[in-house]
Amino acid sequence: MRNAASLLVVICVWAFAGRAAAREPVLVELFTAQGCASCGAADSLIQKIGDRPNVIALTWSVDYWDYLGWKDTFARSEFTERQRAYDKRFGLQDVYTPQVIVAGLAQATGDNAAGVESLVAKALKQKSVGPKIRFHSAAKVEVGVGARPAGGAEVWLIRYDPKQQDVEIKDGDNRGKTVSRYDVVREFVRLGVWRGAPATYKIPAPSQEGLSSVVVVQGTRGGRIISVAKRSTS
């Protein structure tokens, strides 16, 4: 009986340690464009990183290379504005592709695999202190209690296509090539502000089937990622 009780204690300690060690995934964001001739390596890297269970990787298509002759089929102006907000906070003079943002805290050139991997590893070592995010259904999400940053925080819904997207480019620098994109963002919706107290937010219906949803609590104007959670949808 004593041995059985000891074994139960050990199992409970292991279970608690596992829960304590668990942390929210790190959000890795790639800003790219179908007309970007130097973005191929970054696209492959984001696929590799996105396959890891402790990382959520997203591809944002920007529109400022459209003037080269090919209009990016996934790009939206608000995606470009998201990148501009990041780069303004990082003190960069202008946006560029490919660029990777890790946890809203640091950035690296997307084709610098070692640099990106280093930022991801560093982010994974940091203690997760953000509020818990819990999906009640496809239509509601709750953000729990936590410390709100001095500049305020917002709650965002990001929907992306988890299927590989192959696009044949018919003009511009990539003319004649087929580019592959992974975890392509298709919707970007502000759900509201978060003031540190528990709050529930309504989630709008998706514009198309087959998209996965990510809810992000983030500091305003391209601030750090405070909390993130993913929900697969049909």
Side-chain angles (χ1 to χ4, degrees), residues 27-102:
L27 183 65
V28 178
E29 303 173 73
L30 168 66
F31 290 90
T32 185
Q34 294 169 5
C36 171
S38 60
C39 290
D43 297 324
S44 299
L45 178 63
I46 210 71
Q47 178 194 27
K48 174 185 174 183
I49 291 176
D51 286 338
R52 301 173 188 172
N54 55 355
V55 172
I56 296 175
L58 300 174
T59 295
W60 300 84
S61 295
V62 296
D63 59 1
Y64 49 82
W65 293 128
D66 288 359
Y67 78 94
L68 295 175
W70 177 256
K71 184 176 176 59
D72 194 299
T73 59
F74 301 133
R76 291 170 60 174
S77 60
E78 54 263 44
F79 300 170
T80 302
E81 288 308 308
R82 179 171 179 82
Q83 185 185 20
R84 291 191 190 281
Y86 274 134
D87 286 357
K88 183 177 181 180
R89 190 168 63 85
F90 293 139
L92 302 180
Q93 292 185 347
D94 206 354
V95 291
Y96 70 93
T97 57
Q99 183 184 33
V100 172
I101 310 292
V102 177

Side-chain angles (χ1 to χ4, degrees), residues 89-230:
R89 190 168 63 85
F90 293 139
L92 302 180
Q93 292 185 347
D94 206 354
V95 291
Y96 70 93
T97 57
Q99 183 184 33
V100 172
I101 310 292
V102 177
L105 291 172
Q107 67 90 30
T109 304
D111 55 6
N112 178 6
V116 172
E117 292 282 10
S118 176
L119 293 179
V120 173
K122 182 178 179 180
L124 286 170
K125 291 179 181 178
Q126 294 182 356
K127 184 178 180 181
S128 179
V129 295
K132 298 299 181 183
I133 299 175
R134 185 162 63 98
F135 291 92
H136 289 289
S137 65
K140 287 184 180 181
V141 64
E142 180 185 1
V143 177
V145 67
R148 183 175 69 97
E154 299 171 310
V155 181
W156 294 91
L157 170 69
I158 304 170
R159 285 197 174 106
Y160 68 95
D161 194 330
K163 301 184 296 298
Q164 177 178 324
Q165 305 293 314
D166 298 318
V167 182
E168 182 182 353
I169 310 301
K170 299 181 180 180
D171 208 343
D173 285 0
N174 281 331
R175 182 176 182 177
K177 298 181 180 179
T178 297
V179 299
S180 298
R181 296 288 185 264
Y182 309 92
D183 302 319
V184 176
V185 175
R186 304 310 301 271
E187 298 179 18
F188 184 42
V189 182
R190 182 179 181 273
L191 299 182
V193 299
W194 178 72
R195 296 182 172 86
T200 300
Y201 304 84
K202 292 182 179 179
I203 299 176
S207 60
Q208 67 183 76
E209 295 183 353
L211 300 181
S212 294
S213 298
V214 173
V215 168
V216 175
V217 182
Q218 184 171 15
T220 57
R221 298 181 294 279
R224 67 180 178 89
I225 303 299
I226 301 167
S227 195
V228 59
K230 180 172 70 173

